Amino acid sequence: MKVLIIEDDPLHRSYLHEAVSAALPECGTVIEAENGTVGEKLARDHKSAHIVMDLQMTSRNGIEAARTIWKERPETRILFWSNYSDEAYVRGVSRIVPDGAAYGYVLKSASDERLKLALRSIFIESQCVIDREVRGLQQKSLGQTKGFTDSEYEILVDIALGLTDRTISKRRGLSLRSVQNRLQQLYDKLDVYQSVGDDHEDGRFNLRARAVMVAFLRKLLNYSALERAEAELQEWLDGK
Amino acid sequence: MKVLIIEDDPLHRSYLHEAVSAALPECGTVIEAENGTVGEKLARDHKSAHIVMDLQMTSRNGIEAARTIWKERPETRILFWSNYSDEAYVRGVSRIVPDGAAYGYVLKSASDERLKLALRSIFIESQCVIDREVRGLQQKSLGQTKGFTDSEYEILVDIALGLTDRTISKRRGLSLRSVQNRLQQLYDKLDVYQSVGDDHEDGRFNLRARAVMVAFLRKLLNYSALERAEAELQEWLDGK
DNA sequence: CGCCGTCTTGCGTGAACCCGCAGCTTGTTG
DNA sequence: CAACAAGCTGCGGGTTCACGCAAGACGGCG
């Protein structure tokens, strides 16, 4: 059995190396990659079926790397080992995981025990292991309960990118009014209407910009999600 | 001599501990704090004059912690040890450093040698040590060359927070038109006018939202800066 | 089939935004 | 002092936004 480690930080990388060796004595070789780009390459070269990787790397985002890896070999098992449980990450991951694939999401703050347990569960037993904290978000975000619809999330990203209503309508194939409907719906859910002291109307926000801000503070958006969205946008702009 | 380490990540913390011991044999005791809050407290209790700390901690931001520490004892020497050289961080740090204080900014990607050298320079020689990469940003951001004025940065933050022109004008004591002047100036510098194919006008952006987006992509803004700005905003809103 | 909830679309209005033009106040420089 | 650059301000108008109102489209359910 071969395990590929994709992780930016040298300290974390060697820690992972050790943890993998300890948790999986049957593991013959452990390979290391220091960013997403070489990670993809090594995964291809070694046909490695077992990967532990960080999200948030400078060179190439973990989600990007995972997407191309899974595109080539959907049965690859990936354990995401991340510092954060931002809803943006969780949503990004669950958007790209292939049907029936075994994967995991463990926080770096988890104990050694939990990490090792997750390693065995995923790589040996082919089971999905999602950190409890992450799991909660996933329920909320995918289920409709209290969370955001895909269409709401979509338009949130679009205004964060700085598109006009008209441009959004073209991109998403909607009428101008529909776009604005979704925006209202988004403003509702994000609770942007706190006029603070409703006595005098001066304490008011620019709804569009404010929505992006609170989404960001709530970790619904983060840098990597926006970076990815920007790339998609440029692609679309080039295409037409 | 006592050294206080303030760092989220246990691995990085122990690495730092070791590096400090190796670089400063004359250092008697090394204290560790796992977030900004206890870091502040320990700094107060131990009257520790030498601090190494991370920016970007979950509990309490490094910049916040440094500010209160410096407010109490401006002669404290602080070495910031960070993963990133975002202009937002650099700007945030240089905004709070007291006159004549010795401090440093070293990236985590720096070699052991460089870290140890920086430790000695700052704590023994009272010299400022700024990583080369960071230094470049600092020049640009503080000097007027190619960078952003304080007033431009200020209004950038304000629209990122989601304030209306009117609210900004009240907050900053300007007329509505002046606010809009600064906005124009900001849009210029951020180069928001790329109408892509200028043949047909469809590829257009919402300038306000787009400005925030490109500033974010350029690391002019980041989470911690916005978090801080939001706190200040709430303070101001409560005040009146 | 008829009723109802959800989603989409068009129209119209008032507000906010973007910005050119022009007058005024500063601080700087020859 | 005159001249000039830089910043603040008011005015006016063209555009985009936010949103209420209302008319259709689609799918489930009795």
Side-chain angles (χ1 to χ4, degrees):
Chain A
M1 179 200 268
K2 264 187 290 189
V3 173
L4 170 59
I5 293 174
I6 310 178
E7 162 70 68
D8 246 310
D9 187 316
L11 269 61
H12 289 178
R13 202 160 58 232
S14 68
Y15 168 79
L16 262 189
H17 194 134
E18 201 174 330
V20 167
S21 302
L24 301 166
E26 60 270 63
C27 168
T29 46
V30 179
I31 318 159
E32 298 186 3
E34 73 274 17
N35 65 52
T37 314
V38 317
E40 285 176 22
K41 187 176 180 318
L42 288 181
R44 196 160 21 237
D45 292 352
H46 288 267
K47 298 192 194 313
S48 144
H50 306 90
I51 300 180
V52 186
M53 79 158 100
D54 191 9
L55 304 168
Q56 186 176 41
M57 293 175 291
T58 52
S59 158
R60 184 156 171 76
N61 191 340
I63 293 185
E64 297 286 349
R67 175 153 58 182
T68 73
I69 290 172
W70 264 332
K71 190 171 293 175
E72 297 176 11
R73 310 181 69 246
E75 72 278 15
T76 310
R77 297 176 196 164
I78 304 183
L79 173 59
F80 297 101
W81 190 56
S82 168
N83 252 320
Y84 310 100
S85 58
D86 297 2
E87 184 166 344
Y89 278 137
V90 176
R91 193 178 278 270
V93 168
S94 54
R95 189 181 301 279
I96 61 166
V97 45
D99 291 349
Y103 79 103
Y105 196 129
V106 174
L107 295 179
K108 288 192 178 177
S109 56
S111 65
D112 292 13
E113 305 312 318
R114 200 188 293 187
L115 173 59
K116 289 177 185 170
L117 206 69
L119 284 167
R120 290 201 71 82
S121 301
I122 296 169
F123 293 161
I124 310 281
E125 312 287 346
S126 305
Q127 264 188 303
C128 283
V129 177
I130 316 290
D131 219 315
R132 177 165 289 96
E133 211 173 325
V134 178
R135 189 70 190 161
L137 284 180
Q138 207 174 35
Q139 301 289 13
K140 261 200 328 193
S141 85
L142 295 189
Q144 68 292 10
T145 330
K146 203 60 187 334
F148 291 74
T149 317
D150 279 350
S151 59
E152 285 160 357
Y153 188 75
E154 204 174 54
I155 206 167
L156 169 61
V157 171
D158 282 343
I159 59 170
L161 288 172
L163 300 179
T164 59
D165 293 4
R166 185 184 325 281
T167 312
I168 297 175
S169 76
K170 287 184 183 169
R171 186 177 186 197
R172 305 297 181 187
L174 292 172
S175 77
L176 223 166
R177 189 61 181 90
S178 292
V179 170
Q180 295 170 335
N181 270 339
R182 295 192 176 180
L183 279 176
Q184 276 185 261
Q185 188 172 347
L186 182 71
Y187 297 155
D188 270 346
K189 287 209 184 173
L190 284 176
D191 195 25
V192 186
Y193 297 98
Q194 350 129 309
S195 38
V196 190
D198 52 4
D199 45 353
H200 46 336
E201 53 173 357
D202 63 353
R204 201 175 265 135
F205 290 109
N206 176 318
L207 295 180
R208 177 176 286 244
R210 187 62 183 169
V212 175
M213 181 66 186
V214 315
F216 191 64
L217 289 177
R218 288 196 199 171
K219 312 290 183 68
L220 249 160
L221 297 175
N222 62 14
Y223 183 82
S224 98
L226 290 178
E227 189 182 28
R228 212 148 21 93
E230 174 74 14
E232 284 172 16
L233 170 63
Q234 291 302 334
E235 211 170 298
W236 178 77
L237 284 176
D238 293 345
K240 184 59 208 297
Chain B
M1 180 199 269
K2 265 187 288 190
V3 173
L4 169 60
I5 294 175
I6 309 179
E7 162 69 68
D8 246 311
D9 186 313
L11 268 60
H12 290 178
R13 202 160 58 232
S14 69
Y15 168 78
L16 262 190
H17 194 133
E18 201 173 330
V20 167
S21 302
L24 302 166
E26 59 271 63
C27 167
T29 46
V30 179
I31 318 161
E32 297 187 3
E34 74 274 17
N35 64 52
T37 314
V38 317
E40 285 177 20
K41 186 176 179 322
L42 288 181
R44 198 163 17 240
D45 292 352
H46 289 267
K47 298 192 192 315
S48 143
H50 306 89
I51 300 180
V52 186
M53 79 157 99
D54 191 9
L55 305 167
Q56 185 175 41
M57 294 176 289
T58 51
S59 157
R60 184 158 172 75
N61 191 339
I63 293 185
E64 298 286 350
R67 176 153 58 181
T68 73
I69 290 172
W70 264 331
K71 190 172 295 175
E72 297 177 10
R73 310 181 68 247
E75 73 278 15
T76 310
R77 296 179 196 163
I78 304 183
L79 172 59
F80 296 101
W81 191 56
S82 168
N83 251 319
Y84 309 100
S85 58
D86 296 2
E87 184 166 344
Y89 279 138
V90 177
R91 194 178 278 270
V93 167
S94 54
R95 189 182 301 280
I96 60 167
V97 44
D99 291 350
Y103 79 103
Y105 196 128
V106 174
L107 294 179
K108 288 192 179 178
S109 57
S111 66
D112 292 13
E113 306 311 317
R114 200 188 293 186
L115 173 59
K116 289 177 184 168
L117 207 68
L119 284 168
R120 290 202 71 83
S121 301
I122 298 168
F123 294 160
I124 309 281
E125 312 287 345
S126 308
Q127 265 188 303
C128 284
V129 177
I130 315 290
D131 219 316
R132 177 165 290 95
E133 211 173 323
V134 178
R135 189 69 191 163
L137 283 181
Q138 207 175 34
Q139 303 287 12
K140 261 200 328 192
S141 85
L142 295 189
Q144 70 291 13
T145 329
K146 202 62 185 339
F148 292 83
T149 317
D150 279 348
S151 59
E152 285 159 359
Y153 188 74
E154 204 174 54
I155 206 168
L156 169 62
V157 171
D158 282 343
I159 61 172
L161 287 172
L163 301 179
T164 59
D165 292 5
R166 186 185 323 282
T167 312
I168 298 175
S169 76
K170 287 184 183 170
R171 186 177 186 197
R172 305 298 182 187
L174 293 172
S175 77
L176 224 167
R177 189 61 181 92
S178 292
V179 170
Q180 294 171 336
N181 271 340
R182 294 192 176 181
L183 280 176
Q184 274 186 262
Q185 186 172 350
L186 182 70
Y187 296 154
D188 270 346
K189 286 210 184 172
L190 284 177
D191 195 26
V192 186
Y193 297 97
Q194 349 129 314
S195 40
V196 191
D198 53 4
D199 44 355
H200 45 338
E201 53 173 357
D202 63 354
R204 200 176 265 136
F205 290 109
N206 176 319
L207 296 180
R208 177 176 286 245
R210 187 63 184 168
V212 176
M213 181 67 186
V214 316
F216 192 65
L217 288 177
R218 288 197 198 172
K219 311 290 183 68
L220 250 160
L221 296 175
N222 62 13
Y223 183 83
S224 97
L226 290 178
E227 190 182 27
R228 211 148 23 91
E230 174 72 15
E232 285 171 15
L233 171 63
Q234 291 303 333
E235 211 171 298
W236 178 76
L237 284 177
D238 292 346
K240 184 59 212 295

Short mmCIF file of all heavy atoms in Angstrom, two decimals, chain A residues 195-234:
data_model
loop_
_atom_site.label_atom_id
_atom_site.label_comp_id
_atom_site.label_asym_id
_atom_site.label_seq_id
_atom_site.Cartn_x
_atom_site.Cartn_y
_atom_site.Cartn_z
N SER A 195 -31.01 47.45 10.71
CA SER A 195 -30.78 48.89 10.57
C SER A 195 -30.29 49.46 11.90
O SER A 195 -30.28 50.64 12.11
CB SER A 195 -32.04 49.61 10.10
OG SER A 195 -33.18 49.05 10.70
N VAL A 196 -29.89 48.54 12.81
CA VAL A 196 -29.33 48.93 14.10
C VAL A 196 -30.37 49.72 14.87
O VAL A 196 -31.36 49.15 15.30
CB VAL A 196 -28.04 49.74 13.93
CG1 VAL A 196 -27.36 49.93 15.26
CG2 VAL A 196 -27.11 49.00 12.99
N GLY A 197 -30.15 51.00 15.05
CA GLY A 197 -31.23 51.79 15.64
C GLY A 197 -32.21 52.13 14.53
O GLY A 197 -31.88 52.91 13.66
N ASP A 198 -33.39 51.54 14.55
CA ASP A 198 -34.31 51.80 13.45
C ASP A 198 -35.01 53.15 13.64
O ASP A 198 -35.95 53.47 12.94
CB ASP A 198 -35.34 50.67 13.33
CG ASP A 198 -36.02 50.40 14.66
OD1 ASP A 198 -35.74 51.14 15.62
OD2 ASP A 198 -36.82 49.47 14.73
N ASP A 199 -34.57 53.92 14.63
CA ASP A 199 -35.22 55.19 14.87
C ASP A 199 -34.97 56.17 13.72
O ASP A 199 -35.88 56.68 13.13
CB ASP A 199 -34.74 55.79 16.19
CG ASP A 199 -33.22 55.67 16.33
OD1 ASP A 199 -32.63 55.03 15.47
OD2 ASP A 199 -32.66 56.21 17.29
N HIS A 200 -33.70 56.38 13.43
CA HIS A 200 -33.41 57.21 12.25
C HIS A 200 -32.66 56.36 11.25
O HIS A 200 -31.83 55.54 11.59
CB HIS A 200 -32.67 58.47 12.62
CG HIS A 200 -31.54 58.24 13.56
ND1 HIS A 200 -31.48 57.17 14.41
CD2 HIS A 200 -30.43 58.94 13.78
CE1 HIS A 200 -30.38 57.23 15.11
NE2 HIS A 200 -29.71 58.29 14.75
N GLU A 201 -32.96 56.62 10.02
CA GLU A 201 -32.58 55.67 8.99
C GLU A 201 -31.13 55.79 8.53
O GLU A 201 -30.75 55.19 7.55
CB GLU A 201 -33.49 55.88 7.78
CG GLU A 201 -33.48 57.33 7.34
CD GLU A 201 -34.23 57.55 6.04
OE1 GLU A 201 -34.71 56.56 5.47
OE2 GLU A 201 -34.33 58.70 5.63
N ASP A 202 -30.32 56.54 9.24
CA ASP A 202 -28.99 56.80 8.71
C ASP A 202 -28.08 55.56 8.75
O ASP A 202 -27.21 55.42 7.93
CB ASP A 202 -28.35 57.95 9.48
CG ASP A 202 -28.16 57.59 10.94
OD1 ASP A 202 -28.65 56.52 11.35
OD2 ASP A 202 -27.53 58.37 11.64
N GLY A 203 -28.31 54.70 9.75
CA GLY A 203 -27.40 53.57 9.90
C GLY A 203 -27.67 52.46 8.92
O GLY A 203 -27.91 51.32 9.29
N ARG A 204 -27.65 52.76 7.64
CA ARG A 204 -28.06 51.74 6.69
C ARG A 204 -26.89 51.30 5.83
O ARG A 204 -25.94 52.02 5.61
CB ARG A 204 -29.19 52.27 5.82
CG ARG A 204 -29.97 51.13 5.19
CD ARG A 204 -31.15 51.60 4.41
NE ARG A 204 -32.39 51.58 5.19
CZ ARG A 204 -33.27 52.56 5.21
NH1 ARG A 204 -33.04 53.66 4.56
NH2 ARG A 204 -34.38 52.43 5.88
N PHE A 205 -27.02 50.08 5.35
CA PHE A 205 -25.95 49.48 4.58
C PHE A 205 -26.27 49.43 3.10
O PHE A 205 -27.44 49.49 2.70
CB PHE A 205 -25.71 48.05 5.07
CG PHE A 205 -25.09 47.97 6.43
CD1 PHE A 205 -25.82 47.54 7.51
CD2 PHE A 205 -23.77 48.34 6.61
CE1 PHE A 205 -25.24 47.46 8.77
CE2 PHE A 205 -23.18 48.25 7.86
CZ PHE A 205 -23.92 47.82 8.94
N ASN A 206 -25.23 49.30 2.33
CA ASN A 206 -25.37 48.92 0.93
C ASN A 206 -25.60 47.42 0.92
O ASN A 206 -24.70 46.63 1.20
CB ASN A 206 -24.10 49.29 0.18
CG ASN A 206 -24.13 48.84 -1.25
OD1 ASN A 206 -24.58 47.74 -1.55
ND2 ASN A 206 -23.67 49.68 -2.15
N LEU A 207 -26.80 47.01 0.63
CA LEU A 207 -27.19 45.62 0.82
C LEU A 207 -26.26 44.66 0.10
O LEU A 207 -25.83 43.64 0.64
CB LEU A 207 -28.62 45.42 0.34
CG LEU A 207 -29.68 46.18 1.13
CD1 LEU A 207 -31.06 45.91 0.57
CD2 LEU A 207 -29.62 45.80 2.60
N ARG A 208 -25.95 45.00 -1.13
CA ARG A 208 -25.14 44.10 -1.94
C ARG A 208 -23.77 43.87 -1.31
O ARG A 208 -23.34 42.74 -1.10
CB ARG A 208 -24.99 44.70 -3.34
CG ARG A 208 -24.13 43.95 -4.28
CD ARG A 208 -24.15 44.62 -5.64
NE ARG A 208 -25.40 44.38 -6.32
CZ ARG A 208 -25.51 43.71 -7.46
NH1 ARG A 208 -24.44 43.20 -8.03
NH2 ARG A 208 -26.68 43.55 -8.03
N ALA A 209 -23.12 44.96 -0.97
CA ALA A 209 -21.78 44.84 -0.39
C ALA A 209 -21.86 44.22 1.01
O ALA A 209 -21.02 43.41 1.39
CB ALA A 209 -21.11 46.20 -0.33
N ARG A 210 -22.89 44.59 1.74
CA ARG A 210 -23.02 44.08 3.10
C ARG A 210 -23.24 42.57 3.10
O ARG A 210 -22.75 41.85 3.96
CB ARG A 210 -24.17 44.77 3.81
CG ARG A 210 -24.29 44.42 5.29
CD ARG A 210 -23.06 44.85 6.04
NE ARG A 210 -23.11 44.46 7.45
CZ ARG A 210 -22.07 44.54 8.27
NH1 ARG A 210 -20.91 44.97 7.83
NH2 ARG A 210 -22.17 44.18 9.53
N ALA A 211 -24.01 42.10 2.13
CA ALA A 211 -24.28 40.67 2.06
C ALA A 211 -22.98 39.91 1.89
O ALA A 211 -22.74 38.90 2.58
CB ALA A 211 -25.22 40.38 0.89
N VAL A 212 -22.12 40.39 1.03
CA VAL A 212 -20.83 39.74 0.82
C VAL A 212 -20.04 39.74 2.13
O VAL A 212 -19.46 38.74 2.53
CB VAL A 212 -20.03 40.44 -0.29
CG1 VAL A 212 -18.65 39.83 -0.42
CG2 VAL A 212 -20.77 40.35 -1.60
N MET A 213 -20.08 40.87 2.80
CA MET A 213 -19.32 41.00 4.04
C MET A 213 -19.79 40.00 5.09
O MET A 213 -18.96 39.30 5.68
CB MET A 213 -19.47 42.42 4.57
CG MET A 213 -18.71 42.68 5.84
SD MET A 213 -16.91 42.59 5.63
CE MET A 213 -16.37 42.77 7.34
N VAL A 214 -21.08 39.92 5.33
CA VAL A 214 -21.52 39.02 6.41
C VAL A 214 -21.31 37.57 5.99
O VAL A 214 -20.99 36.72 6.82
CB VAL A 214 -22.98 39.26 6.83
CG1 VAL A 214 -23.27 40.73 6.98
CG2 VAL A 214 -23.95 38.60 5.90
N ALA A 215 -21.47 37.27 4.72
CA ALA A 215 -21.20 35.92 4.26
C ALA A 215 -19.75 35.56 4.52
O ALA A 215 -19.41 34.44 4.93
CB ALA A 215 -21.51 35.78 2.78
N PHE A 216 -18.90 36.54 4.33
CA PHE A 216 -17.49 36.32 4.55
C PHE A 216 -17.19 36.13 6.03
O PHE A 216 -16.45 35.20 6.41
CB PHE A 216 -16.72 37.52 4.00
CG PHE A 216 -15.26 37.31 3.92
CD1 PHE A 216 -14.74 36.34 3.08
CD2 PHE A 216 -14.40 38.06 4.68
CE1 PHE A 216 -13.38 36.14 3.00
CE2 PHE A 216 -13.03 37.86 4.60
CZ PHE A 216 -12.53 36.90 3.77
N LEU A 217 -17.79 36.94 6.85
CA LEU A 217 -17.57 36.82 8.29
C LEU A 217 -18.10 35.48 8.80
O LEU A 217 -17.56 34.91 9.75
CB LEU A 217 -18.25 37.97 9.04
CG LEU A 217 -17.60 39.33 8.87
CD1 LEU A 217 -18.40 40.41 9.58
CD2 LEU A 217 -16.17 39.32 9.39
N ARG A 218 -19.15 35.00 8.17
CA ARG A 218 -19.71 33.71 8.59
C ARG A 218 -19.00 32.53 7.96
O ARG A 218 -19.48 31.40 8.01
CB ARG A 218 -21.17 33.62 8.20
CG ARG A 218 -22.08 34.48 9.02
CD ARG A 218 -23.51 34.01 8.82
NE ARG A 218 -24.46 35.03 9.20
CZ ARG A 218 -25.76 34.93 8.95
NH1 ARG A 218 -26.23 33.85 8.34
NH2 ARG A 218 -26.58 35.88 9.31
N LYS A 219 -17.93 32.78 7.25
CA LYS A 219 -17.14 31.72 6.63
C LYS A 219 -17.90 31.02 5.50
O LYS A 219 -17.55 29.90 5.11
CB LYS A 219 -16.68 30.67 7.64
CG LYS A 219 -16.05 31.24 8.89
CD LYS A 219 -14.71 31.85 8.58
CE LYS A 219 -14.03 32.35 9.84
NZ LYS A 219 -13.63 31.28 10.76
N LEU A 220 -18.94 31.67 5.03
CA LEU A 220 -19.65 31.11 3.90
C LEU A 220 -18.82 31.28 2.64
O LEU A 220 -18.90 30.51 1.69
CB LEU A 220 -20.97 31.84 3.72
CG LEU A 220 -22.21 31.06 4.03
CD1 LEU A 220 -23.37 31.97 4.30
CD2 LEU A 220 -22.51 30.14 2.87
N LEU A 221 -18.05 32.33 2.64
CA LEU A 221 -17.08 32.57 1.57
C LEU A 221 -15.70 32.63 2.22
O LEU A 221 -15.56 33.05 3.36
CB LEU A 221 -17.35 33.90 0.87
CG LEU A 221 -18.66 34.07 0.13
CD1 LEU A 221 -18.81 35.49 -0.38
CD2 LEU A 221 -18.72 33.09 -1.02
N ASN A 222 -14.69 32.24 1.48
CA ASN A 222 -13.33 32.48 1.93
C ASN A 222 -12.44 32.67 0.72
O ASN A 222 -12.91 32.60 -0.42
CB ASN A 222 -12.84 31.35 2.83
CG ASN A 222 -12.79 30.03 2.11
OD1 ASN A 222 -12.87 29.96 0.90
ND2 ASN A 222 -12.66 28.96 2.88
N TYR A 223 -11.19 32.91 0.99
CA TYR A 223 -10.31 33.25 -0.12
C TYR A 223 -10.32 32.20 -1.21
O TYR A 223 -10.45 32.51 -2.39
CB TYR A 223 -8.89 33.47 0.40
CG TYR A 223 -7.95 33.91 -0.69
CD1 TYR A 223 -7.88 35.23 -1.07
CD2 TYR A 223 -7.16 32.99 -1.35
CE1 TYR A 223 -7.05 35.64 -2.08
CE2 TYR A 223 -6.31 33.38 -2.37
CZ TYR A 223 -6.26 34.71 -2.73
OH TYR A 223 -5.45 35.10 -3.74
N SER A 224 -10.15 30.96 -0.83
CA SER A 224 -9.99 29.94 -1.86
C SER A 224 -11.25 29.78 -2.70
O SER A 224 -11.18 29.55 -3.90
CB SER A 224 -9.57 28.61 -1.22
OG SER A 224 -10.66 27.75 -1.05
N ALA A 225 -12.40 29.91 -2.06
CA ALA A 225 -13.64 29.81 -2.82
C ALA A 225 -13.74 30.94 -3.84
O ALA A 225 -14.12 30.72 -4.99
CB ALA A 225 -14.84 29.85 -1.87
N LEU A 226 -13.36 32.13 -3.43
CA LEU A 226 -13.45 33.27 -4.34
C LEU A 226 -12.42 33.16 -5.45
O LEU A 226 -12.69 33.51 -6.60
CB LEU A 226 -13.26 34.57 -3.55
CG LEU A 226 -14.42 34.91 -2.63
CD1 LEU A 226 -14.16 36.18 -1.85
CD2 LEU A 226 -15.72 35.04 -3.43
N GLU A 227 -11.26 32.69 -5.09
CA GLU A 227 -10.22 32.49 -6.09
C GLU A 227 -10.72 31.54 -7.18
O GLU A 227 -10.58 31.79 -8.39
CB GLU A 227 -9.00 31.90 -5.40
CG GLU A 227 -7.75 31.84 -6.24
CD GLU A 227 -6.62 31.20 -5.45
OE1 GLU A 227 -6.91 30.37 -4.55
OE2 GLU A 227 -5.45 31.51 -5.74
N ARG A 228 -11.32 30.46 -6.73
CA ARG A 228 -11.84 29.49 -7.69
C ARG A 228 -12.95 30.10 -8.54
O ARG A 228 -12.98 29.94 -9.76
CB ARG A 228 -12.38 28.28 -6.92
CG ARG A 228 -12.26 26.98 -7.60
CD ARG A 228 -12.07 25.85 -6.59
NE ARG A 228 -12.52 26.21 -5.25
CZ ARG A 228 -13.73 25.97 -4.79
NH1 ARG A 228 -14.62 25.40 -5.55
NH2 ARG A 228 -14.05 26.30 -3.55
N ALA A 229 -13.84 30.81 -7.87
CA ALA A 229 -14.95 31.44 -8.60
C ALA A 229 -14.43 32.44 -9.62
O ALA A 229 -14.96 32.52 -10.73
CB ALA A 229 -15.88 32.13 -7.60
N GLU A 230 -13.41 33.16 -9.25
CA GLU A 230 -12.84 34.15 -10.18
C GLU A 230 -12.28 33.45 -11.41
O GLU A 230 -12.46 33.92 -12.54
CB GLU A 230 -11.74 34.95 -9.47
CG GLU A 230 -10.97 35.89 -10.36
CD GLU A 230 -11.76 37.13 -10.75
OE1 GLU A 230 -12.81 37.40 -10.14
OE2 GLU A 230 -11.33 37.82 -11.68
N ALA A 231 -11.62 32.34 -11.20
CA ALA A 231 -11.07 31.60 -12.33
C ALA A 231 -12.20 31.14 -13.27
O ALA A 231 -12.10 31.28 -14.49
CB ALA A 231 -10.28 30.40 -11.83
N GLU A 232 -13.26 30.63 -12.69
CA GLU A 232 -14.40 30.19 -13.50
C GLU A 232 -15.00 31.36 -14.26
O GLU A 232 -15.40 31.23 -15.42
CB GLU A 232 -15.47 29.55 -12.62
CG GLU A 232 -15.11 28.15 -12.16
CD GLU A 232 -16.10 27.64 -11.12
OE1 GLU A 232 -17.18 28.23 -10.98
OE2 GLU A 232 -15.76 26.65 -10.43
N LEU A 233 -15.05 32.49 -13.59
CA LEU A 233 -15.62 33.67 -14.24
C LEU A 233 -14.78 34.06 -15.46
O LEU A 233 -15.33 34.31 -16.54
CB LEU A 233 -15.66 34.84 -13.25
CG LEU A 233 -16.01 36.19 -13.86
CD1 LEU A 233 -17.41 36.17 -14.44
CD2 LEU A 233 -15.87 37.30 -12.84
N GLN A 234 -13.48 34.10 -15.29
CA GLN A 234 -12.62 34.47 -16.40
C GLN A 234 -12.80 33.52 -17.57
O GLN A 234 -12.83 33.92 -18.73
CB GLN A 234 -11.15 34.48 -15.96
CG GLN A 234 -10.81 35.61 -14.98
CD GLN A 234 -11.11 36.99 -15.52
OE1 GLN A 234 -11.10 37.20 -16.74
NE2 GLN A 234 -11.39 37.93 -14.63
#
